[in-house]
Structures are given as structure tokens and as C-alpha cells.
Amino acid sequence: MEVTMYKLLWIFAIFAFVGWVIGTAAAAFREKKFVDVGFLFGPWCPAYGFGGVMFAVFLRELKKELLFLFIGGVVLSFLVSLATGFVLEKIFHKKWWDYSRKKFQFGGYVNLPYTVVWGITAVVCVCFVNPFLGKMIEMIPRKIGEIILLVLYIVLAIDFAGTVASFVAVNKRIRKLTIISSVSENLQKAADEMGKGLVGWTLKYVSRAYPDLEAKKLLEARQEQERQAEKAKEKAGVFAVGCSFYKLVCLFFIGAFLGDIIETIFCWITMGRLMSRSSVVYGDFSIVWGLGCVLLTAILYQYRNRSKGYIFIFGTVVGGVYEYVCSVFTEIVFGTVFWDYSKIPFNLGGRINLLFCFFWGIVAVLWLSVLYPRLSRLIEKIPKKPGIILSWIMIVFMLFDMGMSSLALCRYTERHTEEQEVTTAVDDFFDEHFPDERMKQIYPKAILRR
């Protein structure tokens, strides 16, 4: 199925509705009563819609590679579930699903056996469902289809706004009730103190009878100490405490710069010449590396104390999928391939290869165990107000830089793929300031898809 924005909008709506129906039916069967699994008022689950769109965009090239298609579906569903659950909890301060009690789970957001089902679903969707949907969508007159989509997304936007407003009102009410209930909580503390002796004796007995639990208890205690330390820093007015927004912004720029330098040195060692590895037209920044640092930090932050083998495997898989997604995305948006591993053994479509996937795993270990702790401490030493101002200056600069880079790349592609005369002042500007010679210097390994 050819990927177009029109078809993707249809796929999102269809998968969001069908996913809600299947999820609600499964929950009703399990609980023996009606259970609405969505967080919106209407009959749709956006997470399933995003999953369907990601399958259609990023996995269509793997239609003939069923094993990799299955693995891609597993990992993409893992990332969608993790990101959706995390964002919803941060926005609404509530977990919409919690797999913490399941044996194979990740952060309470992902139940790993369910991701296997999603991997099978990805194979079925890409090979059978999406081609069928593509034909059905083409049967709808375009004008009527656009009107239906417009109405659907207006209703969806109203539903989302109403849901957010409702939860804001509920949270205000909860805060009032919390103040009222604080008196009874203080009375309860006296009773809790009386049970501490018995609880302490029980824990000692359990730790002797089950020594494996002792390590887990120590890990949990260490994590709790770290959380308390972060809260203390926040009260003291320390800048970018923990895995906060401003910490991730700083790490993005540091990772983007270091990644560009590392790739430049790697090319010099392996090819004997220096070449630009930057993703943008202004400055030495690799967006792929910057976003990779943010992704690894955000996902693995709460597991940073796990074994290096655990982090290596996770970094290898997530890094490979991330690089594959970036390759597909840049080709679709800009019509340009920025790297090609087709001549390297054990590659997948020339977009990723096993050696570099292992490299992502090594980077994940070094990042979380060596670099991140040191960089985190340095970032937190920045005064709070100057740090916030500097962060927003960097954000505005990078958005401008990425915008200019995108327009320059699009124009660069047009000059080589379309036979047309310059007709606008914008075209004149980019032809003058970003001619082919400069673009080849900035993106020396870029391959234009004609």
C-alpha cells in the first residue's frame, strides 16, 4: 500500500476504533462486565491508531522478511505502549494501565507477552490488512472521504479537549479532599508506628529465609534514597534535577555534539579523510545522536542500576530500531538517504547492520554507567534561572536550525529530481545560500532518491 497522508489519517481512525472495540471486548470478557479501556470519552484508543500508522510507515519494507517484520512489530508496540503510558501518567497523574504485578513487564507500562501478540498483529496488518484497507479507502470518493475525516478529527479534538478539562477539574477536587483528609492521616501515623517493630522483625526473617529478596530490597532502598535526594535538590532550587525536561534538553545538545565529533573521527580513522556528519546546516550537531541520548536516558533512567548486560541488550535492540525508523522517516520526508549499509554484512535493507546495533548497545552501557552520571552532576551545577534561559535559547536555535535544514534539503532534492525553473523568492534564497557544493559538503554521504 502506498503511504500518503490521506491514507494514514484513515488508518489512524480505523485502528483507533477497532483497537478500542477489541480491547473493550477483551476487558469485558475478563471482568464479566463492561470496561472502557480508552482514556477518551468516545470509542477510540489513540495508542492503537498510532500503532497502526507506525506499522504502515516503518514496517512496509519488511513485508518479505517475516522474522524482521515480527521483531519490528514487537519493538514498535513496546515503544508506543511505553511512550503512551508515560505521557498519559505525566499529563493526568494517573496510570491508565498497570502491569507492575505481571512477571514479564517493563515499568508497569508494558506487558512483554502482549508485545509478542502485537508482533504477530504487525505481520497480519502489513501483509493482509493494510493492502485490503488501501483498496477500500480508494473506493471512497476523495471529496466524501475528506469530509468524513474532517468531521472525525474535529470530534476527536473536542473529545480530547473535554477529557483534559474534566481531569483538570477532578484533580482540583482531589487536592481539596487531600487537605481535608490530612487530619485523619496524622491520627493514623500513631497506629503505624506501633507496627514498625513487628514489620522490621518480619523483614529480617524473610531476608534470611529468602536471600534473593535481600538484593532486591537493597536495590529498592537505593532507588528510594535516590528519589529522596532528587526531592531534596528540587526543594533547594537545583537546576534540572533527575530525568527532567531541562536535563533532557541539555543532554540532547551534548549528545548531538559528541555524536557528530565521534562519527567524524570514526570516518577519519576508517576512510582516511574528515567529512561532515552533521544533521543541520548551522553547527556540528547530529540530531540522530541527540535524540538517541534522550531516548536511552528517558527509557532506561529508572533501570540505570541494572546489570550492564541488561542495558547492552536493551540498547542494541532499541538503538537498531531507532536507527531504522530514522532512516525511513528521513527518506519519506526529504527523499534522501543519509546512510547506506548495504555493503556491510548482516544489514537490513541497508538501513541498519548488526555491527552498529552492537555499537548502540555499547554506547548505552557507557552512557548510563559512565557519561550520564558525570554530565548530570555538571548540568545540575548550572544556576537555575540562567540554566532555564539558556535551555530555551538553545531550543529556539535548534528549531530554527532544523527548519532551515529541512527547507534546504527539500530544495536540494527538488533541484535534482524535478525539471522546473525557480519561480519563488524562497527558491532563489536557498539556491543562493545553499547551492549543491555546500549541501554536498554538509551531507557528503547523502543519496537522493530520484
Side-chain angles (χ1 to χ4, degrees):
M1 182 184 71
E2 182 184 356
V3 176
T4 63
M5 182 58 67
Y6 175 74
K7 288 183 178 180
L8 290 179
L9 290 173
W10 270 110
I11 287 175
F12 178 89
I14 293 170
F15 273 75
F17 173 71
V18 173
W20 178 86
V21 171
I22 295 175
T24 301
F29 177 80
R30 184 174 59 252
E31 302 292 335
K32 307 301 181 184
K33 62 179 181 178
F34 176 78
V35 179
D36 189 348
V37 298
F39 80 94
L40 297 177
F41 294 125
W44 34 56
C45 288
Y48 292 106
F50 285 119
V53 169
M54 293 184 74
F55 288 168
V57 173
F58 298 116
L59 300 182
R60 59 194 178 94
E61 293 183 351
L62 304 178
K63 190 173 182 179
K64 297 181 180 180
E65 302 284 348
L66 295 184
L67 176 60
F68 289 108
L69 177 57
F70 169 77
I71 295 174
V74 168
V75 178
L76 282 180
S77 65
F78 174 90
L79 294 176
V80 170
S81 299
L82 184 65
T84 304
F86 178 80
V87 170
L88 287 177
E89 184 178 2
K90 291 299 181 183
I91 294 176
F92 299 111
H93 306 288
K94 172 188 175 182
K95 272 194 174 183
W96 290 90
W97 59 87
D98 188 1
Y99 299 122
S100 300
R101 297 182 180 180
K102 299 289 185 180
K103 186 175 182 180
F104 301 102
Q105 58 86 27
F106 189 89
Y109 302 116
V110 182
N111 184 15
L112 298 183
Y114 287 174
T115 62
V116 175
V117 177
W118 271 102
I120 298 173
T121 303
V123 175
V124 174
C125 288
V126 173
C127 295
F128 304 104
V129 176
N130 287 352
F132 173 75
L133 286 179
K135 293 178 180 178
M136 295 297 294
I137 293 170
E138 291 174 355
M139 294 175 62
I140 303 174
R142 184 62 181 254
K143 293 285 186 181
I144 296 177
E146 291 176 351
I147 293 173
I148 294 174
L149 285 176
L150 180 62
V151 173
L152 280 175
Y153 279 92
I154 289 176
V155 173
L156 184 61
I158 294 173
D159 191 350
F160 181 80
T163 301
V164 173
S166 299
F167 271 91
V168 169
V170 169
N171 285 334
K172 289 182 179 179
R173 179 64 177 170
I174 291 174
R175 283 196 292 269
K176 291 181 181 179
L177 293 175
T178 302
I179 295 173
I180 295 173
S181 64
S182 61
V183 177
S184 61
E185 289 179 358
N186 289 331
L187 294 175
Q188 184 65 33
K189 286 181 180 179
D192 292 339
E193 290 293 332
M194 296 174 63
K196 280 186 177 179
L198 179 60
V199 172
W201 178 86
T202 304
L203 287 175
K204 289 180 181 178
Y205 172 79
V206 171
S207 64
R208 287 196 300 268
Y210 303 96
D212 290 341
L213 294 177
E214 186 66 23
K216 183 178 180 181
K217 188 172 69 173
L218 289 173
L219 177 61
E220 291 175 350
R222 180 179 177 183
Q223 291 174 342
E224 180 61 27
Q225 289 177 352
E226 291 177 350
R227 283 192 291 268
Q228 293 301 326
E230 289 179 359
K231 289 181 180 180
K233 288 180 179 179
E234 288 178 356
K235 291 182 180 179
V238 177
F239 173 66
V241 177
C243 189
S244 63
F245 171 76
Y246 292 110
K247 176 69 68 60
L248 293 177
V249 169
C250 295
L251 292 177
F252 168 82
F253 280 91
I254 293 172
F257 177 74
L258 291 179
D260 181 83
I261 299 300
I262 291 171
E263 280 206 56
T264 301
I265 295 174
F266 180 79
C267 291
W268 177 59
I269 294 174
T270 57
M271 301 181 186
R273 64 190 182 96
L274 294 173
M275 66 171 65
S276 171
R277 302 303 299 152
S278 177
S279 304
V280 289
V281 293
Y282 300 118
D284 297 318
F285 300 103
S286 174
I287 303 300
V288 172
W289 280 91
L291 291 177
C293 289
V294 171
L295 182 67
L296 287 173
T297 304
I299 293 178
L300 285 177
Y301 178 75
Q302 58 183 324
Y303 301 99
R304 62 193 181 281
N305 295 321
R306 291 289 187 94
S307 66
K308 290 181 173 57
Y310 179 93
I311 296 174
F312 172 79
I313 294 174
F314 195 95
T316 298
V317 176
V318 173
V321 173
Y322 169 69
E323 190 171 8
Y324 188 94
V325 168
C326 288
S327 177
V328 174
F329 176 80
T330 53
E331 183 175 350
I332 291 175
V333 175
F334 304 115
T336 305
V337 177
F338 290 95
W339 59 85
D340 185 4
Y341 302 133
S342 55
K343 296 181 180 180
I344 300 177
F346 306 106
N347 76 85
L348 184 60
R351 300 188 185 280
I352 60 174
N353 70 84
L354 188 60
L355 177 62
F356 280 19
C357 288
F358 288 154
F359 185 65
W360 276 105
I362 295 171
V363 168
V365 173
L366 292 175
W367 178 255
L368 289 175
S369 61
V370 180
L371 292 176
Y372 172 77
R374 290 169 172 79
L375 291 174
S376 179
R377 288 192 291 269
L378 289 175
I379 292 171
E380 291 176 0
K381 290 182 179 180
I382 300 174
K384 188 170 184 178
K385 287 187 177 180
I388 293 174
I389 295 173
L390 180 61
S391 295
W392 281 106
I393 291 175
M394 293 191 299
I395 290 171
V396 172
F397 164 74
M398 184 52 67
L399 290 175
F400 169 77
D401 199 357
M402 292 171 65
M404 291 294 291
S405 303
S406 300
L407 293 173
L409 276 168
C410 289
R411 182 55 187 161
Y412 179 48
T413 304
E414 287 177 0
R415 288 199 296 264
H416 289 267
T417 58
E418 298 181 11
E419 295 181 1
Q420 62 176 14
E421 304 238 349
V422 176
T423 57
T424 66
V426 174
D427 293 334
D428 286 334
F429 174 85
F430 283 99
D431 288 344
E432 179 182 355
H433 292 84
F434 299 98
D436 289 353
E437 293 77 17
R438 183 176 179 184
M439 296 301 290
K440 290 178 181 178
Q441 184 178 5
I442 299 173
Y443 307 107
K445 300 191 72 175
I447 303 173
L448 300 178
R449 295 299 191 195
R450 299 182 181 275

